[in-house]
Coordinates of all heavy atoms in Angstrom, one line a residue:
M1 N 30.3 -9.3 -17.8 CA 30.5 -9.5 -16.4 C 29.6 -8.6 -15.6 O 29.4 -7.5 -16.0 CB 32.0 -9.1 -16.1 CG 32.3 -9.4 -14.7 SD 34.2 -9.5 -14.6 CE 34.4 -8.4 -13.2
T2 N 29.0 -9.1 -14.6 CA 28.0 -8.4 -13.7 C 28.7 -7.6 -12.6 O 29.6 -8.1 -12.0 CB 27.1 -9.4 -13.1 OG1 26.6 -10.2 -14.1 CG2 25.9 -8.6 -12.6
S3 N 28.4 -6.4 -12.5 CA 28.9 -5.5 -11.4 C 28.3 -6.0 -10.0 O 27.2 -6.5 -10.0 CB 28.5 -4.1 -11.7 OG 28.6 -3.3 -10.5
M4 N 29.1 -5.8 -9.0 CA 28.6 -6.1 -7.7 C 27.4 -5.3 -7.3 O 26.6 -5.7 -6.4 CB 29.7 -6.0 -6.7 CG 30.8 -7.0 -6.8 SD 32.1 -6.9 -5.5 CE 31.1 -7.4 -4.1
L5 N 27.3 -4.2 -7.8 CA 26.1 -3.3 -7.5 C 24.9 -3.7 -8.3 O 23.8 -3.3 -7.9 CB 26.4 -1.9 -7.9 CG 27.6 -1.2 -7.0 CD1 27.8 0.2 -7.5 CD2 27.2 -1.2 -5.6
E6 N 25.0 -4.4 -9.3 CA 23.8 -5.0 -10.1 C 23.2 -6.1 -9.3 O 23.9 -6.9 -8.8 CB 24.2 -5.4 -11.5 CG 24.6 -4.2 -12.4 CD 24.9 -4.8 -13.8 OE1 24.3 -5.7 -14.3 OE2 25.9 -4.2 -14.3
R7 N 21.9 -6.0 -9.2 CA 21.2 -7.1 -8.5 C 20.1 -7.7 -9.4 O 19.4 -6.9 -10.1 CB 20.6 -6.6 -7.2 CG 21.7 -6.0 -6.2 CD 21.0 -5.4 -5.1 NE 20.4 -6.5 -4.3 CZ 19.7 -6.3 -3.2 NH1 19.4 -5.1 -2.8 NH2 19.2 -7.4 -2.5
T8 N 19.8 -8.9 -9.2 CA 18.6 -9.4 -9.9 C 17.4 -9.0 -9.2 O 17.4 -8.9 -7.9 CB 18.7 -11.0 -10.0 OG1 18.8 -11.5 -8.7 CG2 19.9 -11.4 -10.8
P9 N 16.3 -8.8 -9.8 CA 15.0 -8.4 -9.1 C 14.6 -9.5 -8.1 O 14.8 -10.7 -8.3 CB 14.0 -8.4 -10.2 CG 14.7 -8.3 -11.5 CD 16.0 -8.9 -11.2
A10 N 14.2 -9.0 -6.9 CA 13.8 -9.8 -5.8 C 12.5 -10.6 -6.2 O 11.6 -10.0 -6.8 CB 13.6 -9.1 -4.5
Q11 N 12.5 -11.9 -6.0 CA 11.4 -12.7 -6.3 C 10.4 -12.5 -5.2 O 10.6 -12.5 -4.0 CB 11.8 -14.2 -6.4 CG 10.6 -15.0 -6.8 CD 11.1 -16.5 -7.0 OE1 12.2 -16.8 -6.8 NE2 10.1 -17.3 -7.3
K12 N 9.1 -12.2 -5.6 CA 8.0 -12.1 -4.6 C 7.4 -13.4 -4.3 O 7.2 -14.2 -5.2 CB 6.9 -11.2 -5.2 CG 7.3 -9.7 -5.4 CD 6.2 -8.9 -6.0 CE 6.6 -7.5 -6.2 NZ 5.5 -6.7 -6.7
P13 N 7.1 -13.6 -3.0 CA 6.4 -14.9 -2.7 C 5.0 -14.8 -3.2 O 4.4 -13.7 -3.3 CB 6.5 -15.0 -1.2 CG 6.6 -13.5 -0.7 CD 7.4 -12.8 -1.9
A14 N 4.3 -15.9 -3.4 CA 2.9 -15.9 -3.8 C 2.0 -15.9 -2.6 O 1.6 -17.0 -2.0 CB 2.7 -17.2 -4.6
L15 N 1.7 -14.7 -2.1 CA 0.9 -14.5 -1.0 C -0.6 -14.5 -1.4 O -0.9 -13.9 -2.4 CB 1.2 -13.2 -0.2 CG 2.6 -13.1 0.3 CD1 2.7 -11.7 1.0 CD2 3.0 -14.2 1.3
S16 N -1.4 -15.2 -0.6 CA -2.9 -15.2 -0.9 C -3.4 -13.8 -0.5 O -2.9 -13.1 0.2 CB -3.6 -16.3 -0.2 OG -3.6 -16.0 1.2
A17 N -4.7 -13.5 -1.0 CA -5.3 -12.3 -0.7 C -5.5 -12.2 0.9 O -5.4 -11.2 1.5 CB -6.6 -12.2 -1.4
R18 N -5.9 -13.4 1.5 CA -6.1 -13.3 2.9 C -4.8 -13.1 3.7 O -4.7 -12.4 4.7 CB -6.7 -14.7 3.4 CG -7.0 -14.7 4.8 CD -8.1 -13.7 5.2 NE -8.6 -13.9 6.5 CZ -9.3 -13.1 7.2 NH1 -9.7 -11.9 6.7 NH2 -9.8 -13.4 8.4
E19 N -3.7 -13.7 3.2 CA -2.4 -13.5 3.8 C -2.0 -12.0 3.7 O -1.5 -11.4 4.7 CB -1.3 -14.3 3.2 CG -1.5 -15.8 3.6 CD -0.5 -16.7 2.8 OE1 -0.2 -16.4 1.6 OE2 -0.2 -17.8 3.2
I20 N -2.2 -11.4 2.6 CA -2.0 -9.9 2.4 C -2.8 -9.1 3.4 O -2.3 -8.1 4.0 CB -2.2 -9.5 1.0 CG1 -1.0 -10.2 0.1 CG2 -2.1 -8.0 0.8 CD1 -1.3 -10.0 -1.4
E21 N -4.1 -9.5 3.5 CA -5.0 -8.8 4.4 C -4.5 -8.8 5.8 O -4.5 -7.8 6.5 CB -6.4 -9.3 4.3 CG -7.4 -8.7 5.1 CD -8.8 -9.3 5.0 OE1 -8.9 -10.5 4.7 OE2 -9.8 -8.6 5.2
I22 N -4.1 -10.0 6.2 CA -3.7 -10.2 7.6 C -2.3 -9.5 7.8 O -2.1 -8.9 8.9 CB -3.6 -11.7 8.0 CG1 -5.1 -12.2 8.1 CG2 -2.8 -12.0 9.2 CD1 -5.3 -13.6 8.5
L23 N -1.4 -9.6 6.9 CA -0.1 -9.0 7.0 C -0.3 -7.5 7.1 O 0.3 -6.8 8.0 CB 0.7 -9.3 5.8 CG 2.1 -8.6 5.7 CD1 3.0 -9.0 6.9 CD2 2.8 -9.0 4.5
R24 N -1.2 -6.8 6.3 CA -1.4 -5.4 6.3 C -2.0 -5.0 7.6 O -1.6 -4.0 8.3 CB -2.3 -5.0 5.2 CG -1.6 -5.0 3.8 CD -2.6 -4.7 2.7 NE -3.3 -3.5 3.0 CZ -2.9 -2.3 2.8 NH1 -1.7 -2.1 2.4 NH2 -3.7 -1.2 3.1
A25 N -3.0 -5.8 8.1 CA -3.6 -5.5 9.4 C -2.6 -5.5 10.6 O -2.6 -4.6 11.5 CB -4.8 -6.4 9.6
W26 N -1.8 -6.5 10.6 CA -0.7 -6.7 11.6 C 0.3 -5.6 11.5 O 0.7 -5.0 12.6 CB -0.1 -8.1 11.4 CG 0.9 -8.3 12.5 CD1 0.7 -8.3 13.9 CD2 2.3 -8.7 12.3 NE1 2.0 -8.6 14.5 CE2 2.9 -8.9 13.5 CE3 3.1 -8.9 11.2 CZ2 4.2 -9.2 13.7 CZ3 4.4 -9.3 11.3 CH2 5.0 -9.4 12.5
L27 N 0.8 -5.2 10.3 CA 1.8 -4.2 10.2 C 1.2 -2.7 10.6 O 1.9 -2.0 11.1 CB 2.2 -4.1 8.8 CG 3.1 -5.3 8.3 CD1 3.4 -5.2 6.8 CD2 4.4 -5.4 9.2
L28 N -0.1 -2.6 10.5 CA -0.7 -1.3 10.9 C -1.3 -1.3 12.3 O -1.9 -0.4 12.7 CB -1.8 -1.0 9.9 CG -1.4 -0.8 8.4 CD1 -2.5 -0.7 7.5 CD2 -0.5 0.5 8.4
S29 N -1.0 -2.4 13.0 CA -1.5 -2.6 14.4 C -0.4 -2.6 15.4 O 0.8 -2.9 15.0 CB -2.3 -3.8 14.6 OG -3.5 -3.9 13.7
E30 N -0.7 -2.4 16.6 CA 0.3 -2.5 17.6 C 0.7 -3.9 18.1 O 1.7 -4.2 18.6 CB -0.1 -1.7 18.9 CG -0.2 -0.2 18.7 CD 1.1 0.4 18.4 OE1 2.1 0.1 19.1 OE2 1.2 1.3 17.5
S31 N -0.3 -4.8 17.8 CA -0.1 -6.2 18.2 C -0.9 -7.2 17.3 O -1.8 -6.7 16.6 CB -0.5 -6.4 19.7 OG -1.9 -6.2 19.8
K32 N -0.6 -8.4 17.5 CA -1.4 -9.4 16.8 C -2.8 -9.5 17.3 O -3.8 -9.7 16.6 CB -0.7 -10.8 16.9 CG 0.5 -11.0 16.1 CD 1.2 -12.3 16.3 CE 2.6 -12.3 15.5 NZ 3.3 -13.5 15.8
S33 N -3.0 -9.2 18.6 CA -4.3 -9.2 19.2 C -5.2 -8.1 18.6 O -6.4 -8.3 18.3 CB -4.2 -9.1 20.7 OG -3.6 -10.1 21.3
E34 N -4.5 -6.9 18.4 CA -5.3 -5.8 17.8 C -5.7 -6.1 16.4 O -6.7 -5.8 16.0 CB -4.4 -4.5 17.9 CG -5.1 -3.3 17.4 CD -4.2 -2.1 17.5 OE1 -3.5 -1.9 18.5 OE2 -4.2 -1.3 16.4
A35 N -4.7 -6.7 15.6 CA -5.0 -7.0 14.3 C -6.1 -8.1 14.2 O -7.0 -8.0 13.4 CB -3.7 -7.6 13.6
A36 N -6.0 -9.0 15.1 CA -7.1 -10.1 15.2 C -8.5 -9.5 15.4 O -9.5 -9.9 14.8 CB -6.7 -11.1 16.3
A37 N -8.6 -8.6 16.4 CA -9.8 -8.0 16.7 C -10.3 -7.2 15.5 O -11.5 -7.2 15.1 CB -9.7 -7.0 17.9
R38 N -9.5 -6.5 14.8 CA -9.9 -5.7 13.6 C -10.4 -6.7 12.5 O -11.3 -6.3 11.7 CB -8.6 -5.0 13.1 CG -8.9 -4.1 12.0 CD -7.6 -3.4 11.5 NE -7.0 -2.5 12.5 CZ -6.0 -1.8 12.4 NH1 -5.4 -1.8 11.2 NH2 -5.5 -1.0 13.3
L39 N -9.9 -7.9 12.4 CA -10.3 -8.8 11.4 C -11.3 -9.9 11.8 O -11.7 -10.8 11.1 CB -9.1 -9.5 10.8 CG -8.1 -8.6 10.1 CD1 -6.8 -9.4 9.8 CD2 -8.7 -8.0 8.8
Y40 N -11.7 -9.8 13.1 CA -12.6 -10.8 13.7 C -12.1 -12.2 13.6 O -12.9 -13.1 13.3 CB -14.0 -10.7 13.0 CG -14.6 -9.3 13.1 CD1 -14.6 -8.4 12.0 CD2 -15.2 -8.8 14.3 CE1 -15.0 -7.1 12.0 CE2 -15.7 -7.5 14.3 CZ -15.6 -6.7 13.2 OH -16.1 -5.4 13.3
V41 N -10.9 -12.4 14.0 CA -10.2 -13.7 14.0 C -9.5 -13.8 15.4 O -9.4 -12.8 16.1 CB -9.3 -14.0 12.9 CG1 -10.0 -14.0 11.5 CG2 -8.1 -13.0 12.8
T42 N -8.9 -14.9 15.7 CA -8.1 -15.0 16.9 C -6.7 -14.5 16.7 O -6.2 -14.6 15.5 CB -8.1 -16.4 17.5 OG1 -7.4 -17.3 16.6 CG2 -9.5 -17.0 17.7
A43 N -5.9 -14.2 17.7 CA -4.5 -13.9 17.6 C -3.7 -15.1 17.1 O -2.8 -14.9 16.4 CB -4.0 -13.4 18.9
A44 N -4.2 -16.3 17.4 CA -3.5 -17.5 17.0 C -3.7 -17.6 15.4 O -2.7 -18.1 14.8 CB -4.1 -18.7 17.6
T45 N -4.8 -17.2 14.9 CA -5.0 -17.2 13.4 C -4.0 -16.3 12.8 O -3.4 -16.6 11.8 CB -6.4 -16.9 13.1 OG1 -7.3 -17.9 13.6 CG2 -6.6 -16.8 11.5
V46 N -3.9 -15.1 13.3 CA -2.9 -14.1 12.8 C -1.5 -14.7 12.9 O -0.7 -14.6 11.9 CB -3.0 -12.8 13.6 CG1 -1.8 -11.8 13.2 CG2 -4.4 -12.1 13.4
S47 N -1.1 -15.3 14.0 CA 0.2 -15.9 14.1 C 0.5 -17.0 13.1 O 1.5 -17.0 12.5 CB 0.4 -16.5 15.6 OG 0.4 -15.5 16.5
T48 N -0.5 -17.8 12.9 CA -0.4 -18.8 11.9 C -0.2 -18.3 10.5 O 0.7 -18.7 9.8 CB -1.7 -19.8 11.8 OG1 -1.8 -20.3 13.1 CG2 -1.6 -20.8 10.8
H49 N -0.9 -17.3 10.1 CA -0.7 -16.6 8.8 C 0.6 -15.9 8.7 O 1.3 -16.1 7.7 CB -1.8 -15.6 8.5 CG -3.1 -16.3 8.1 ND1 -3.3 -16.7 6.8 CD2 -4.3 -16.5 8.7 CE1 -4.6 -17.2 6.7 NE2 -5.2 -17.1 7.8
I50 N 1.1 -15.3 9.7 CA 2.4 -14.6 9.7 C 3.5 -15.7 9.6 O 4.4 -15.4 8.8 CB 2.5 -13.7 11.0 CG1 1.5 -12.6 11.1 CG2 3.9 -13.2 11.0 CD1 1.5 -11.6 9.9
A51 N 3.4 -16.8 10.2 CA 4.3 -17.9 10.1 C 4.4 -18.4 8.7 O 5.5 -18.6 8.2 CB 4.0 -19.0 11.1
R52 N 3.2 -18.5 8.1 CA 3.2 -19.0 6.6 C 3.8 -18.0 5.7 O 4.5 -18.3 4.8 CB 1.8 -19.2 6.2 CG 1.2 -20.5 6.9 CD -0.2 -20.8 6.4 NE -0.8 -21.9 7.1 CZ -2.0 -22.1 7.4 NH1 -2.9 -21.2 6.9 NH2 -2.4 -23.2 8.0
I53 N 3.6 -16.7 6.0 CA 4.1 -15.6 5.2 C 5.6 -15.6 5.3 O 6.4 -15.5 4.3 CB 3.5 -14.2 5.6 CG1 2.0 -14.2 5.2 CG2 4.3 -13.1 5.0 CD1 1.2 -13.1 5.9
R54 N 6.1 -15.7 6.5 CA 7.6 -15.8 6.7 C 8.2 -16.9 6.0 O 9.3 -16.8 5.4 CB 7.9 -15.8 8.2 CG 7.7 -14.6 8.9 CD 8.2 -14.6 10.4 NE 8.3 -13.3 10.9 CZ 7.7 -12.9 12.0 NH1 7.0 -13.8 12.7 NH2 7.8 -11.7 12.5
S55 N 7.5 -18.1 6.0 CA 8.0 -19.3 5.3 C 8.1 -19.0 3.8 O 9.0 -19.4 3.2 CB 7.1 -20.4 5.7 OG 7.4 -21.6 4.9
K56 N 7.1 -18.4 3.3 CA 7.0 -18.1 1.8 C 8.1 -17.2 1.5 O 8.8 -17.3 0.4 CB 5.7 -17.5 1.4 CG 4.6 -18.6 1.4 CD 3.3 -18.0 0.9 CE 2.2 -19.1 0.9 NZ 0.9 -18.6 0.3
Y57 N 8.4 -16.2 2.3 CA 9.6 -15.3 2.0 C 10.9 -16.0 2.1 O 11.8 -15.8 1.3 CB 9.6 -14.0 3.0 CG 8.8 -12.9 2.4 CD1 7.5 -12.6 2.9 CD2 9.3 -12.1 1.4 CE1 6.8 -11.5 2.4 CE2 8.5 -11.1 0.9 CZ 7.3 -10.8 1.4 OH 6.6 -9.7 0.9
A58 N 11.0 -16.9 3.1 CA 12.2 -17.7 3.2 C 12.4 -18.5 2.0 O 13.6 -18.7 1.5 CB 12.2 -18.5 4.5
R59 N 11.3 -19.2 1.5 CA 11.5 -20.0 0.3 C 12.0 -19.3 -1.0 O 12.6 -19.9 -1.9 CB 10.2 -20.7 0.0 CG 9.9 -21.9 0.9 CD 8.8 -22.8 0.3 NE 7.5 -22.2 0.1 CZ 6.5 -22.1 1.1 NH1 6.7 -22.6 2.2 NH2 5.4 -21.5 0.8
V60 N 11.8 -18.0 -1.1 CA 12.3 -17.2 -2.2 C 13.6 -16.5 -1.8 O 14.1 -15.7 -2.6 CB 11.2 -16.2 -2.8 CG1 10.0 -17.0 -3.3 CG2 10.8 -15.2 -1.7
G61 N 14.2 -16.9 -0.7 CA 15.5 -16.3 -0.4 C 15.5 -15.0 0.2 O 16.5 -14.2 0.2
R62 N 14.3 -14.6 0.8 CA 14.2 -13.2 1.4 C 13.7 -13.3 2.8 O 12.5 -12.9 3.1 CB 13.3 -12.4 0.5 CG 13.7 -12.2 -0.9 CD 12.7 -11.5 -1.8 NE 12.5 -10.2 -1.3 CZ 11.3 -9.5 -1.5 NH1 10.3 -10.1 -2.2 NH2 11.2 -8.3 -1.1
N63 N 14.5 -13.9 3.7 CA 14.1 -14.1 5.1 C 13.5 -12.8 5.7 O 14.0 -11.7 5.4 CB 15.3 -14.6 5.9 CG 15.6 -16.0 5.6 OD1 14.8 -16.8 5.0 ND2 16.8 -16.4 5.9
A64 N 12.5 -13.0 6.5 CA 11.9 -11.9 7.3 C 11.5 -12.4 8.6 O 10.3 -12.8 8.8 CB 10.7 -11.4 6.5
T65 N 12.4 -12.5 9.5 CA 12.2 -13.2 10.8 C 11.6 -12.2 11.9 O 11.2 -12.7 13.0 CB 13.5 -13.8 11.3 OG1 14.5 -12.8 11.5 CG2 13.9 -14.9 10.4
T66 N 11.6 -10.9 11.6 CA 11.0 -9.9 12.5 C 9.9 -9.1 11.9 O 9.8 -9.1 10.7 CB 12.1 -9.0 13.0 OG1 12.6 -8.2 11.9 CG2 13.3 -9.7 13.6
K67 N 9.2 -8.4 12.7 CA 8.1 -7.6 12.2 C 8.8 -6.4 11.3 O 8.2 -6.1 10.2 CB 7.3 -7.0 13.4 CG 6.1 -6.2 12.8 CD 5.2 -5.8 14.0 CE 3.9 -5.1 13.5 NZ 3.0 -4.8 14.6
T68 N 9.9 -6.0 11.7 CA 10.6 -4.9 11.0 C 11.0 -5.4 9.6 O 10.8 -4.8 8.6 CB 11.8 -4.3 11.7 OG1 11.4 -3.8 13.0 CG2 12.5 -3.3 10.9
A69 N 11.5 -6.7 9.5 CA 11.9 -7.3 8.3 C 10.7 -7.5 7.4 O 10.8 -7.3 6.2 CB 12.7 -8.6 8.5
L70 N 9.6 -7.9 8.0 CA 8.4 -8.2 7.2 C 7.8 -6.8 6.7 O 7.3 -6.8 5.5 CB 7.3 -8.8 8.0 CG 7.3 -10.4 7.9 CD1 6.2 -11.0 8.8 CD2 7.1 -10.8 6.5
L71 N 8.0 -5.8 7.4 CA 7.6 -4.4 7.0 C 8.4 -4.0 5.8 O 7.9 -3.5 4.8 CB 7.7 -3.4 8.1 CG 7.4 -2.0 7.7 CD1 6.1 -1.7 7.1 CD2 7.7 -1.0 8.9
A72 N 9.7 -4.3 5.9 CA 10.6 -3.9 4.7 C 10.2 -4.7 3.5 O 10.1 -4.1 2.4 CB 12.0 -4.2 5.1
R73 N 9.9 -6.0 3.6 CA 9.5 -6.8 2.4 C 8.2 -6.3 1.9 O 8.0 -6.2 0.7 CB 9.4 -8.3 2.9 CG 10.6 -8.9 3.4 CD 11.7 -9.0 2.3 NE 12.9 -9.7 2.8 CZ 14.1 -9.1 2.8 NH1 14.3 -7.9 2.3 NH2 15.1 -9.8 3.3
A74 N 7.2 -6.0 2.8 CA 5.9 -5.5 2.3 C 6.1 -4.2 1.6 O 5.4 -3.9 0.6 CB 5.0 -5.3 3.5
L75 N 6.9 -3.3 2.0 CA 7.2 -2.1 1.3 C 7.9 -2.3 -0.1 O 7.5 -1.7 -1.0 CB 8.1 -1.1 2.2 CG 7.4 -0.5 3.4 CD1 8.5 0.1 4.3 CD2 6.4 0.6 3.0
Q76 N 8.9 -3.2 0.0 CA 9.6 -3.5 -1.3 C 8.6 -4.1 -2.3 O 8.7 -3.8 -3.5 CB 10.7 -4.5 -1.0 CG 11.8 -4.0 -0.2 CD 12.7 -5.1 0.3 OE1 12.4 -6.3 0.4 NE2 13.9 -4.7 0.7
D77 N 7.7 -4.9 -1.9 CA 6.8 -5.6 -2.8 C 5.5 -4.9 -3.1 O 4.6 -5.4 -3.8 CB 6.4 -7.0 -2.2 CG 7.6 -7.9 -2.2 OD1 8.7 -7.6 -2.8 OD2 7.6 -9.0 -1.5
G78 N 5.3 -3.7 -2.5 CA 4.1 -2.9 -2.8 C 2.8 -3.4 -2.1 O 1.7 -3.0 -2.4
V79 N 3.0 -4.2 -1.0 CA 1.9 -4.7 -0.2 C 1.4 -3.6 0.6 O 0.1 -3.5 0.9 CB 2.3 -5.9 0.7 CG1 1.3 -6.3 1.6 CG2 2.7 -7.0 -0.2
I80 N 2.2 -2.6 1.0 CA 1.9 -1.5 1.9 C 2.7 -0.3 1.4 O 3.8 -0.5 0.9 CB 2.1 -1.9 3.4 CG1 1.3 -0.9 4.2 CG2 3.5 -1.9 3.8 CD1 1.2 -1.4 5.7
S81 N 2.2 0.9 1.6 CA 3.0 2.0 1.3 C 3.5 2.8 2.5 O 2.8 2.7 3.6 CB 2.3 3.0 0.3 OG 1.3 3.7 1.0
I82 N 4.5 3.6 2.4 CA 5.0 4.3 3.5 C 3.9 5.3 4.0 O 3.9 5.7 5.2 CB 6.3 5.0 3.1 CG1 7.1 5.5 4.3 CG2 6.2 6.2 2.1 CD1 7.8 4.4 5.1
D83 N 3.1 5.8 3.1 CA 2.1 6.8 3.4 C 1.0 6.2 4.3 O 0.3 6.9 5.1 CB 1.4 7.3 2.2 CG 2.3 8.2 1.4 OD1 3.3 8.8 1.9 OD2 2.2 8.3 0.1
E84 N 0.9 4.9 4.4 CA -0.1 4.2 5.2 C 0.3 4.1 6.6 O -0.5 3.8 7.5 CB -0.5 2.8 4.6 CG -1.1 2.9 3.3 CD -1.4 1.5 2.7 OE1 -2.4 0.9 3.1 OE2 -0.5 1.0 2.0
L85 N 1.6 4.1 6.8 CA 2.2 3.9 8.2 C 2.1 5.1 9.1 O 1.9 6.1 8.9 CB 3.7 3.5 8.1 CG 3.9 2.3 7.2 CD1 5.4 2.0 7.0 CD2 3.2 1.1 7.8

């Protein structure tokens, strides 16, 4: 019998290298516009990637509908470390 405190490991979504790059830039920026400027893309491109990332997290049962939630997922999955923030 499984204890209520035992959890199965969280499944990580299959994020592409570009999605990780954009997610990291956005999390380390004040805005999508700032992240876009850092990466030489438009804010709309950043928004599109963030929407896809959120969708991938939702598909593995780990919804991340806010920037704070995506930050938590990125920390959990080793995409970013607390020391970088």
Side-chain angles (χ1 to χ4, degrees):
M1 187 161 128
T2 311
S3 163
M4 288 184 70
L5 296 177
E6 290 180 38
R7 300 176 68 187
T8 57
Q11 185 177 358
K12 293 182 184 180
L15 300 180
S16 70
R18 185 62 168 167
E19 287 169 335
I20 290 170
E21 180 182 27
I22 287 179
L23 177 59
R24 288 176 49 78
W26 181 57
L27 291 172
L28 296 170
S29 299
E30 293 295 320
S31 66
K32 289 178 183 173
S33 296
E34 184 181 317
R38 189 181 293 185
L39 296 171
Y40 304 102
V41 298
T42 67
T45 298
V46 172
S47 292
T48 298
H49 280 284
I50 297 301
R52 288 182 185 151
I53 292 164
R54 285 188 168 125
S55 176
K56 287 182 177 187
Y57 270 105
R59 281 197 301 269
V60 297
R62 299 172 65 206
N63 289 338
T65 58
T66 65
K67 187 172 187 176
T68 303
L70 270 177
L71 173 59
R73 299 294 182 238
L75 286 166
Q76 291 166 342
D77 294 346
V79 171
I80 198 166
S81 74
I82 197 76
D83 293 332
E84 295 176 84
L85 301 175

